[in-house]
Amino acid sequence: MNALHRHQALDAVWRTPPGLRGMLVNVNHSDLGKRFMMAAFAYFAIGGVLAMMIRAQLSSPRSAFVGADIFNQLFTMHGSLMMFMFAIPFFEGLALYMLPKMLGARDLAFPRLSAFGWWCYLFGGFILLTAMALGLAPDGGWFMYTPLASRAFTPGINADVWLLGITFVEISAVCASVELTVSILKMRADGMRLSRMPIFAWYILVTALMMVVGFPPLILASTLLELERAFGLPFFDVAKGGHPLLWQHLFWLFGHPEVYIIFLPGAGVISMVLPVMARHPLIGYGWIVGSILALGFFSFGLWVHHMFATGIPHLALAFFSAASTLVAVPTVVQIFAWLATLWSGRPVLRLPMLYIAGFFAIFLIGGLTGVMLAIVPFNWQVHDTAFVTAHLHYVLIGGFVFPMMAGIYFWLPRITGRVTNPSLGVLAFCLIFVGFNVTFLVMHLTGLLGMPRRVFTYDAGLGWDIPNFVSSLGSFVMAFGFAAVLIDIVLAVWFGRRAPRNPWKADTLEWAMPSPVPSYNFASLPTVTGRRPLEDDPRLAARLAAGEGHLPAPRDGLRESLGVHMLTGQVTEIIVLPGNSALPIVTALATGCFFLAMLFGLYWLAPLPILAVVALVWLWASQIGAQRDIGALDTGGGAVVPTHHEAAEAPGWWGSVFTLVADASFFMSLIFGYAFLATVAPGWPPPRLMTPSVVAILVALAGLAIAFAAGRWALAALRSGRTAAAARSAAVAAASTAAALAGILALGWRGGLAPGAHAYDAVTTVLLAYAVVHLVVAGLMLAFVATRLAGGWGSAARTLELRVAALWSGYAAFATVVVIIAVAGPGVISWRW
């Protein structure tokens, strides 16, 4: 097979149908990545327009440009769009597009999950933008503090738009985090050990793991506040045993790691682009990897940094202040590694390098003001002033936007096959850099002069007039700069000259593909022996196009890529990926109908979309898998391995593991909230504890024990080749899970709970609901596997589906036992024995 025939055969398998249908069913990572980036840039433009309106209002004292209500919506939507709709989705899009190309794969581990995440992101953003167009946008700040966001002070649906719309978008983020984590660990080139991965993959891996753990607390907080607003469950109502600081703790458990979730991808771009611009390999690869891991770990111990003014104990102030200064150390390690690389190389001042230089200047100032804010006395003085606003923008724009601009101009020839106009690009950089510093450097002074943030006007004579006018002027200069960037990119796409395959003389795998990038990425998959594959083998691109790598020809019309051992990079399986499908968009629409039903108060209608989602997920799962054993196959590159259906550690297994890690983070945040209210909130102990039913508890525990044992028996039977016995045992496990569910429902029914009366009853109800949901999911998964085994979709070699169901069932059992202890324990202890 020559190169042309190979291209035609592979493209026939991997391409997307043309027209509207192709757009709706597309699951290709390159297309989805570009969609995420373009949509994120659109949200960035909208957020920028809102920022211009904010600066127009604040440019002079007693301005009448907008009123207080509109101003509240402006700054809330500006922050929400920039944090949730631009920063995270843009790096997700870049990672979705670039990682398979960098890692030597043809796609990500779960293409349909990526598509589902895209549609959730799109529909969630549509909810926010529609509300803004109708004048119903959120108006309580992008962090929605209670009690301001509670029903008493925000009676309309403005806050509900934020809670439900952002939660919808966060589903997309969690999907992306699981997708990226599993893809980096399992879908790499042959021989690409962890120590040989492109440094960008390390940054995205740690970022994705932080998202897996860090986003569930926000989803929990949004869920609790929506339950309070919709049904009166008083989690944050002091009069009924709640506490408004619970929201702050849950929000900042997400919020502070999010700062590093935004920064790390930008730093990853710097670590990829800077060595190419310096014409020298990155110095300190191991040190940088260690600093990334340390930064990800420390970021979860700093959330109280944002709560120094809330009256927390002095010992806690000292601890979190010290931790906030300590976290600067891993960042400094990366900066010194970058400077050492520049010092050792021969840098060229191309446009990406200009943005990197801008990053160094701006992020340094943001880091210094961050250390200042970590010192408690200074923090008290400038808390909630314009100084904090300036610091936030120096960190986020300096640490994310400038690196991403460097990445855009660096990888634009890869993405579009075209080159931009250097003169227009330099002009845009100068406008952005000067405009940004004029805007926010002066804003530090405005804050030190005492101007609070989030105020829509101010009186003359306070010394804020000139600084605000200068900041407003600078913001418009910066806006012109970003407009010039957009014009530059559009002109390049339409009229730019064609770019060579590797215009920067880079040495990573994404530059080993033809331009434009084919739907399948690589004609054959590479084997690597170092971190710089194109430097190690200058003819690698030609050899891959000639079919001298793995999987050089499609097999039975299947989309195939390699799976490797997570540590060694040795080929362990051939991963068969699903093709284009309408299921992601239909499932996202059904999910969106649930959020809309909640938004408009149609609570009676909300169960219908949930049932639709369950049916669609059942259908989704039924379309994957294998009905017969295939055995070991030759990859064409020297490896003989089974398909992932017969592998011990398939992507589906690890996807379930990391999804359950996110689930456990949600659960632990709920337990933390329970403990926080019990120890801090007024009105505890509650007037009345739940009355635990011993019979209900015993039924639940017996059901869990039988389900666990039956699941073990099913797995043992399947591994010994007794498929029918395995199906019967799985059915028994499903029925026993249903019995445990009945016990938990009886425990809640007989407990005499009044969820609207006290926060104790509310939290107990939510804990029981958590157990119920997980028992339902586990029961459905076991029932699904039982039907699949009965239909021949399992064997001694194909145990993946049963192992995944057993994993979820085991977690459901563990969580249910913890819930029983948490809700029944206080009542049992109070008995008079």
Short mmCIF file of all heavy atoms in Angstrom, two decimals, residues 12-67:
data_model
loop_
_atom_site.label_atom_id
_atom_site.label_comp_id
_atom_site.label_asym_id
_atom_site.label_seq_id
_atom_site.Cartn_x
_atom_site.Cartn_y
_atom_site.Cartn_z
N ALA A 12 -11.11 7.13 4.99
CA ALA A 12 -12.45 6.57 4.87
C ALA A 12 -12.98 6.10 6.22
O ALA A 12 -14.20 6.13 6.46
CB ALA A 12 -12.44 5.41 3.87
N VAL A 13 -12.08 5.69 7.11
CA VAL A 13 -12.49 5.21 8.44
C VAL A 13 -12.66 6.37 9.42
O VAL A 13 -13.60 6.39 10.22
CB VAL A 13 -11.45 4.21 8.98
CG1 VAL A 13 -11.76 3.83 10.42
CG2 VAL A 13 -11.41 2.97 8.10
N TRP A 14 -11.80 7.36 9.36
CA TRP A 14 -11.72 8.39 10.39
C TRP A 14 -12.44 9.69 10.04
O TRP A 14 -12.69 10.51 10.93
CB TRP A 14 -10.26 8.72 10.69
CG TRP A 14 -9.56 7.64 11.42
CD1 TRP A 14 -8.91 6.57 10.88
CD2 TRP A 14 -9.42 7.50 12.84
NE1 TRP A 14 -8.38 5.78 11.87
CE2 TRP A 14 -8.67 6.33 13.08
CE3 TRP A 14 -9.83 8.25 13.93
CZ2 TRP A 14 -8.34 5.89 14.36
CZ3 TRP A 14 -9.50 7.83 15.22
CH2 TRP A 14 -8.77 6.66 15.42
N ARG A 15 -12.77 9.92 8.79
CA ARG A 15 -13.30 11.22 8.41
C ARG A 15 -14.70 11.43 8.96
O ARG A 15 -15.42 10.48 9.31
CB ARG A 15 -13.29 11.38 6.90
CG ARG A 15 -14.24 10.47 6.15
CD ARG A 15 -14.28 10.81 4.67
NE ARG A 15 -15.07 9.84 3.93
CZ ARG A 15 -14.64 9.14 2.90
NH1 ARG A 15 -13.39 9.29 2.48
NH2 ARG A 15 -15.44 8.29 2.28
N THR A 16 -15.10 12.70 8.98
CA THR A 16 -16.42 13.11 9.44
C THR A 16 -17.32 13.37 8.24
O THR A 16 -16.87 13.98 7.26
CB THR A 16 -16.32 14.39 10.29
OG1 THR A 16 -15.47 14.12 11.41
CG2 THR A 16 -17.68 14.84 10.77
N PRO A 17 -18.58 12.93 8.27
CA PRO A 17 -19.47 13.21 7.14
C PRO A 17 -19.61 14.71 6.91
O PRO A 17 -19.54 15.51 7.84
CB PRO A 17 -20.80 12.59 7.58
CG PRO A 17 -20.44 11.60 8.64
CD PRO A 17 -19.23 12.14 9.31
N PRO A 18 -19.82 15.13 5.67
CA PRO A 18 -19.95 16.56 5.39
C PRO A 18 -21.31 17.10 5.82
O PRO A 18 -22.24 16.35 6.09
CB PRO A 18 -19.79 16.62 3.86
CG PRO A 18 -20.28 15.28 3.38
CD PRO A 18 -19.88 14.29 4.45
N GLY A 19 -21.41 18.42 5.87
CA GLY A 19 -22.69 19.07 6.11
C GLY A 19 -23.09 19.12 7.58
O GLY A 19 -22.30 18.85 8.49
N LEU A 20 -24.36 19.45 7.80
CA LEU A 20 -24.90 19.62 9.15
C LEU A 20 -24.83 18.31 9.93
O LEU A 20 -24.50 18.31 11.12
CB LEU A 20 -26.33 20.12 9.08
CG LEU A 20 -27.05 20.30 10.42
CD1 LEU A 20 -26.33 21.35 11.28
CD2 LEU A 20 -28.51 20.69 10.20
N ARG A 21 -25.14 17.21 9.27
CA ARG A 21 -25.11 15.93 9.99
C ARG A 21 -23.70 15.66 10.52
O ARG A 21 -23.54 15.23 11.67
CB ARG A 21 -25.54 14.80 9.06
CG ARG A 21 -25.44 13.41 9.71
CD ARG A 21 -25.91 12.31 8.78
NE ARG A 21 -25.67 11.01 9.38
CZ ARG A 21 -24.55 10.32 9.23
NH1 ARG A 21 -23.57 10.83 8.49
NH2 ARG A 21 -24.40 9.14 9.81
N GLY A 22 -22.70 15.90 9.71
CA GLY A 22 -21.34 15.69 10.16
C GLY A 22 -20.98 16.56 11.36
O GLY A 22 -20.30 16.12 12.28
N MET A 23 -21.46 17.80 11.35
CA MET A 23 -21.17 18.70 12.46
C MET A 23 -21.80 18.19 13.75
O MET A 23 -21.21 18.32 14.83
CB MET A 23 -21.69 20.10 12.14
CG MET A 23 -21.37 21.13 13.20
SD MET A 23 -21.99 22.77 12.77
CE MET A 23 -23.76 22.50 12.88
N LEU A 24 -22.97 17.58 13.66
CA LEU A 24 -23.69 17.15 14.86
C LEU A 24 -23.17 15.83 15.41
O LEU A 24 -23.27 15.59 16.62
CB LEU A 24 -25.18 17.03 14.54
CG LEU A 24 -25.90 18.33 14.14
CD1 LEU A 24 -27.36 18.06 13.83
CD2 LEU A 24 -25.78 19.39 15.24
N VAL A 25 -22.64 14.97 14.55
CA VAL A 25 -22.22 13.64 15.02
C VAL A 25 -20.71 13.54 15.17
O VAL A 25 -20.20 12.50 15.60
CB VAL A 25 -22.72 12.54 14.05
CG1 VAL A 25 -24.22 12.60 13.89
CG2 VAL A 25 -22.02 12.63 12.69
N ASN A 26 -19.97 14.59 14.87
CA ASN A 26 -18.51 14.56 14.86
C ASN A 26 -17.95 14.28 16.26
O ASN A 26 -18.35 14.90 17.25
CB ASN A 26 -17.99 15.91 14.35
CG ASN A 26 -16.51 15.89 14.07
OD1 ASN A 26 -15.84 14.88 14.27
ND2 ASN A 26 -15.99 17.01 13.61
N VAL A 27 -16.98 13.35 16.33
CA VAL A 27 -16.30 13.08 17.59
C VAL A 27 -14.78 13.21 17.45
O VAL A 27 -14.04 12.82 18.34
CB VAL A 27 -16.65 11.66 18.13
CG1 VAL A 27 -18.14 11.54 18.40
CG2 VAL A 27 -16.19 10.57 17.17
N ASN A 28 -14.31 13.76 16.33
CA ASN A 28 -12.88 13.89 16.09
C ASN A 28 -12.26 14.92 17.03
O ASN A 28 -12.76 16.03 17.16
CB ASN A 28 -12.65 14.29 14.63
CG ASN A 28 -11.18 14.41 14.29
OD1 ASN A 28 -10.58 15.46 14.46
ND2 ASN A 28 -10.58 13.31 13.83
N HIS A 29 -11.16 14.55 17.65
CA HIS A 29 -10.56 15.41 18.66
C HIS A 29 -10.06 16.74 18.08
O HIS A 29 -10.11 17.78 18.75
CB HIS A 29 -9.41 14.68 19.36
CG HIS A 29 -8.14 14.64 18.57
ND1 HIS A 29 -7.12 15.53 18.77
CD2 HIS A 29 -7.74 13.83 17.56
CE1 HIS A 29 -6.13 15.27 17.93
NE2 HIS A 29 -6.48 14.24 17.18
N SER A 30 -9.57 16.72 16.84
CA SER A 30 -9.08 17.96 16.24
C SER A 30 -10.22 18.95 16.04
O SER A 30 -10.11 20.14 16.37
CB SER A 30 -8.40 17.66 14.91
OG SER A 30 -7.23 16.89 15.09
N ASP A 31 -11.34 18.47 15.52
CA ASP A 31 -12.48 19.36 15.29
C ASP A 31 -13.06 19.86 16.60
O ASP A 31 -13.40 21.04 16.74
CB ASP A 31 -13.55 18.62 14.48
CG ASP A 31 -13.07 18.27 13.08
OD1 ASP A 31 -12.22 19.00 12.55
OD2 ASP A 31 -13.55 17.26 12.52
N LEU A 32 -13.18 18.97 17.58
CA LEU A 32 -13.73 19.38 18.87
C LEU A 32 -12.80 20.36 19.58
O LEU A 32 -13.25 21.32 20.21
CB LEU A 32 -13.99 18.15 19.76
CG LEU A 32 -15.08 17.20 19.27
CD1 LEU A 32 -15.12 15.95 20.13
CD2 LEU A 32 -16.44 17.89 19.28
N GLY A 33 -11.49 20.13 19.47
CA GLY A 33 -10.56 21.06 20.08
C GLY A 33 -10.65 22.44 19.48
O GLY A 33 -10.65 23.45 20.19
N LYS A 34 -10.77 22.51 18.15
CA LYS A 34 -10.91 23.82 17.50
C LYS A 34 -12.24 24.48 17.89
O LYS A 34 -12.30 25.70 18.08
CB LYS A 34 -10.80 23.65 15.98
CG LYS A 34 -9.37 23.36 15.52
CD LYS A 34 -9.24 23.40 14.01
CE LYS A 34 -9.81 22.19 13.36
NZ LYS A 34 -9.50 22.12 11.91
N ARG A 35 -13.29 23.69 18.02
CA ARG A 35 -14.57 24.26 18.45
C ARG A 35 -14.46 24.87 19.84
O ARG A 35 -14.95 25.98 20.09
CB ARG A 35 -15.66 23.18 18.45
CG ARG A 35 -16.11 22.72 17.07
CD ARG A 35 -17.24 21.73 17.23
NE ARG A 35 -17.56 21.04 15.99
CZ ARG A 35 -18.52 20.13 15.88
NH1 ARG A 35 -19.21 19.78 16.95
NH2 ARG A 35 -18.76 19.54 14.73
N PHE A 36 -13.84 24.13 20.76
CA PHE A 36 -13.67 24.66 22.12
C PHE A 36 -12.90 25.97 22.09
O PHE A 36 -13.27 26.95 22.76
CB PHE A 36 -12.93 23.64 22.99
CG PHE A 36 -13.83 22.74 23.81
CD1 PHE A 36 -14.04 21.43 23.45
CD2 PHE A 36 -14.44 23.22 24.95
CE1 PHE A 36 -14.84 20.59 24.20
CE2 PHE A 36 -15.25 22.40 25.72
CZ PHE A 36 -15.45 21.08 25.34
N MET A 37 -11.81 26.01 21.33
CA MET A 37 -10.98 27.22 21.32
C MET A 37 -11.71 28.39 20.68
O MET A 37 -11.66 29.52 21.21
CB MET A 37 -9.67 26.94 20.58
CG MET A 37 -8.71 26.07 21.36
SD MET A 37 -7.06 25.93 20.61
CE MET A 37 -7.40 24.77 19.28
N MET A 38 -12.43 28.15 19.60
CA MET A 38 -13.16 29.24 18.96
C MET A 38 -14.30 29.74 19.84
O MET A 38 -14.51 30.96 19.97
CB MET A 38 -13.68 28.79 17.59
CG MET A 38 -12.59 28.63 16.55
SD MET A 38 -13.21 28.33 14.87
CE MET A 38 -13.91 26.71 15.06
N ALA A 39 -15.03 28.83 20.46
CA ALA A 39 -16.12 29.25 21.35
C ALA A 39 -15.56 30.00 22.56
O ALA A 39 -16.12 31.02 22.98
CB ALA A 39 -16.93 28.04 21.80
N ALA A 40 -14.45 29.49 23.11
CA ALA A 40 -13.86 30.17 24.26
C ALA A 40 -13.40 31.58 23.88
O ALA A 40 -13.56 32.53 24.67
CB ALA A 40 -12.68 29.36 24.80
N PHE A 41 -12.83 31.72 22.69
CA PHE A 41 -12.41 33.05 22.25
C PHE A 41 -13.62 33.96 22.07
O PHE A 41 -13.56 35.17 22.38
CB PHE A 41 -11.62 32.96 20.95
CG PHE A 41 -10.85 34.21 20.63
CD1 PHE A 41 -9.59 34.42 21.16
CD2 PHE A 41 -11.39 35.20 19.81
CE1 PHE A 41 -8.88 35.57 20.89
CE2 PHE A 41 -10.68 36.35 19.53
CZ PHE A 41 -9.43 36.54 20.07
N ALA A 42 -14.74 33.41 21.60
CA ALA A 42 -15.97 34.22 21.48
C ALA A 42 -16.45 34.68 22.86
O ALA A 42 -16.84 35.85 23.03
CB ALA A 42 -17.06 33.40 20.78
N TYR A 43 -16.41 33.77 23.84
CA TYR A 43 -16.80 34.17 25.19
C TYR A 43 -15.82 35.20 25.75
O TYR A 43 -16.21 36.11 26.50
CB TYR A 43 -16.86 32.95 26.11
CG TYR A 43 -18.08 32.09 25.89
CD1 TYR A 43 -17.96 30.78 25.46
CD2 TYR A 43 -19.36 32.59 26.13
CE1 TYR A 43 -19.08 29.99 25.24
CE2 TYR A 43 -20.49 31.81 25.93
CZ TYR A 43 -20.34 30.51 25.48
OH TYR A 43 -21.45 29.74 25.28
N PHE A 44 -14.53 35.05 25.40
CA PHE A 44 -13.54 36.05 25.82
C PHE A 44 -13.88 37.41 25.24
O PHE A 44 -13.78 38.43 25.94
CB PHE A 44 -12.16 35.58 25.35
CG PHE A 44 -11.05 36.54 25.66
CD1 PHE A 44 -10.58 36.71 26.94
CD2 PHE A 44 -10.46 37.29 24.64
CE1 PHE A 44 -9.54 37.60 27.22
CE2 PHE A 44 -9.44 38.17 24.90
CZ PHE A 44 -8.97 38.33 26.20
N ALA A 45 -14.30 37.44 23.99
CA ALA A 45 -14.67 38.72 23.36
C ALA A 45 -15.89 39.32 24.04
O ALA A 45 -15.94 40.53 24.32
CB ALA A 45 -14.94 38.50 21.87
N ILE A 46 -16.89 38.47 24.35
CA ILE A 46 -18.08 38.98 25.05
C ILE A 46 -17.71 39.49 26.43
O ILE A 46 -18.14 40.58 26.85
CB ILE A 46 -19.15 37.88 25.13
CG1 ILE A 46 -19.62 37.48 23.73
CG2 ILE A 46 -20.33 38.34 25.98
CD1 ILE A 46 -20.50 36.25 23.72
N GLY A 47 -16.89 38.72 27.15
CA GLY A 47 -16.44 39.18 28.46
C GLY A 47 -15.64 40.47 28.37
O GLY A 47 -15.72 41.33 29.25
N GLY A 48 -14.88 40.61 27.28
CA GLY A 48 -14.13 41.85 27.08
C GLY A 48 -15.03 43.04 26.84
O GLY A 48 -14.77 44.14 27.35
N VAL A 49 -16.09 42.85 26.08
CA VAL A 49 -17.06 43.93 25.87
C VAL A 49 -17.69 44.34 27.19
O VAL A 49 -17.86 45.54 27.49
CB VAL A 49 -18.14 43.50 24.86
CG1 VAL A 49 -19.26 44.52 24.80
CG2 VAL A 49 -17.52 43.30 23.48
N LEU A 50 -18.03 43.35 28.02
CA LEU A 50 -18.58 43.66 29.34
C LEU A 50 -17.57 44.45 30.18
O LEU A 50 -17.94 45.38 30.91
CB LEU A 50 -18.99 42.38 30.07
CG LEU A 50 -20.05 41.52 29.39
CD1 LEU A 50 -20.35 40.28 30.25
CD2 LEU A 50 -21.34 42.31 29.17
N ALA A 51 -16.29 44.08 30.07
CA ALA A 51 -15.25 44.82 30.80
C ALA A 51 -15.17 46.26 30.33
O ALA A 51 -14.97 47.18 31.14
CB ALA A 51 -13.91 44.11 30.63
N MET A 52 -15.30 46.47 29.03
CA MET A 52 -15.28 47.85 28.52
C MET A 52 -16.45 48.65 29.07
O MET A 52 -16.31 49.84 29.39
CB MET A 52 -15.36 47.83 26.99
CG MET A 52 -14.17 47.18 26.28
SD MET A 52 -12.58 47.93 26.69
CE MET A 52 -12.00 46.80 27.97
N MET A 53 -17.59 48.02 29.21
CA MET A 53 -18.75 48.71 29.78
C MET A 53 -18.51 49.03 31.26
O MET A 53 -18.89 50.11 31.74
CB MET A 53 -20.00 47.85 29.61
CG MET A 53 -20.38 47.60 28.15
SD MET A 53 -21.75 46.44 27.93
CE MET A 53 -23.11 47.44 28.55
N ILE A 54 -17.87 48.10 31.96
CA ILE A 54 -17.53 48.37 33.37
C ILE A 54 -16.58 49.56 33.47
O ILE A 54 -16.78 50.48 34.28
CB ILE A 54 -16.89 47.12 34.01
CG1 ILE A 54 -17.92 45.99 34.12
CG2 ILE A 54 -16.31 47.45 35.38
CD1 ILE A 54 -17.31 44.66 34.52
N ARG A 55 -15.55 49.57 32.63
CA ARG A 55 -14.58 50.66 32.68
C ARG A 55 -15.20 51.98 32.21
O ARG A 55 -14.85 53.06 32.73
CB ARG A 55 -13.37 50.34 31.81
CG ARG A 55 -12.45 49.25 32.31
CD ARG A 55 -12.09 49.32 33.78
NE ARG A 55 -11.80 50.68 34.25
CZ ARG A 55 -11.68 51.01 35.53
NH1 ARG A 55 -11.85 50.10 36.47
NH2 ARG A 55 -11.39 52.23 35.88
N ALA A 56 -16.14 51.94 31.28
CA ALA A 56 -16.82 53.16 30.86
C ALA A 56 -17.62 53.74 32.03
O ALA A 56 -17.64 54.96 32.24
CB ALA A 56 -17.73 52.88 29.67
N GLN A 57 -18.26 52.88 32.80
CA GLN A 57 -19.04 53.34 33.95
C GLN A 57 -18.14 53.95 35.03
O GLN A 57 -18.49 54.95 35.67
CB GLN A 57 -19.85 52.18 34.54
CG GLN A 57 -20.51 52.45 35.88
CD GLN A 57 -21.59 53.52 35.82
OE1 GLN A 57 -22.08 53.84 34.74
NE2 GLN A 57 -21.95 54.09 36.96
N LEU A 58 -16.96 53.36 35.23
CA LEU A 58 -16.08 53.81 36.31
C LEU A 58 -15.08 54.88 35.86
O LEU A 58 -14.25 55.32 36.67
CB LEU A 58 -15.30 52.61 36.88
CG LEU A 58 -16.14 51.54 37.57
CD1 LEU A 58 -15.26 50.38 38.03
CD2 LEU A 58 -16.91 52.12 38.76
N SER A 59 -15.14 55.31 34.64
CA SER A 59 -14.15 56.27 34.14
C SER A 59 -14.30 57.65 34.76
O SER A 59 -13.34 58.44 34.74
CB SER A 59 -14.25 56.37 32.61
OG SER A 59 -15.53 56.86 32.23
N SER A 60 -15.45 57.95 35.31
CA SER A 60 -15.66 59.27 35.92
C SER A 60 -16.60 59.12 37.11
O SER A 60 -17.41 58.19 37.16
CB SER A 60 -16.25 60.25 34.90
OG SER A 60 -17.49 59.77 34.42
N PRO A 61 -16.53 60.04 38.06
CA PRO A 61 -17.43 59.96 39.23
C PRO A 61 -18.89 60.16 38.82
O PRO A 61 -19.21 60.91 37.89
CB PRO A 61 -16.94 61.10 40.14
CG PRO A 61 -15.57 61.44 39.64
CD PRO A 61 -15.57 61.14 38.18
N ARG A 62 -19.76 59.48 39.53
CA ARG A 62 -21.22 59.62 39.35
C ARG A 62 -21.63 59.44 37.89
O ARG A 62 -22.53 60.11 37.40
CB ARG A 62 -21.69 60.98 39.87
CG ARG A 62 -21.62 61.13 41.37
CD ARG A 62 -22.60 60.20 42.04
NE ARG A 62 -22.49 60.21 43.50
CZ ARG A 62 -23.21 59.41 44.29
NH1 ARG A 62 -24.06 58.56 43.75
NH2 ARG A 62 -23.06 59.45 45.59
N SER A 63 -20.96 58.50 37.21
CA SER A 63 -21.32 58.24 35.82
C SER A 63 -22.71 57.63 35.73
O SER A 63 -23.11 56.83 36.59
CB SER A 63 -20.29 57.30 35.18
OG SER A 63 -20.69 56.90 33.90
N ALA A 64 -23.45 58.00 34.69
CA ALA A 64 -24.80 57.49 34.49
C ALA A 64 -24.85 56.53 33.30
O ALA A 64 -25.91 56.32 32.70
CB ALA A 64 -25.77 58.64 34.27
N PHE A 65 -23.71 55.94 32.94
CA PHE A 65 -23.67 55.04 31.78
C PHE A 65 -24.60 53.84 31.98
O PHE A 65 -25.38 53.48 31.10
CB PHE A 65 -22.24 54.59 31.53
CG PHE A 65 -22.07 53.69 30.34
CD1 PHE A 65 -22.28 54.16 29.05
CD2 PHE A 65 -21.72 52.36 30.50
CE1 PHE A 65 -22.14 53.33 27.95
CE2 PHE A 65 -21.58 51.52 29.41
CZ PHE A 65 -21.79 52.01 28.13
N VAL A 66 -24.49 53.19 33.14
CA VAL A 66 -25.42 52.12 33.50
C VAL A 66 -25.81 52.29 34.96
O VAL A 66 -25.10 52.94 35.75
CB VAL A 66 -24.80 50.71 33.29
CG1 VAL A 66 -24.51 50.45 31.83
CG2 VAL A 66 -23.56 50.53 34.14
N GLY A 67 -26.93 51.69 35.35
CA GLY A 67 -27.36 51.74 36.73
C GLY A 67 -26.76 50.62 37.56
O GLY A 67 -26.03 49.76 37.06
#
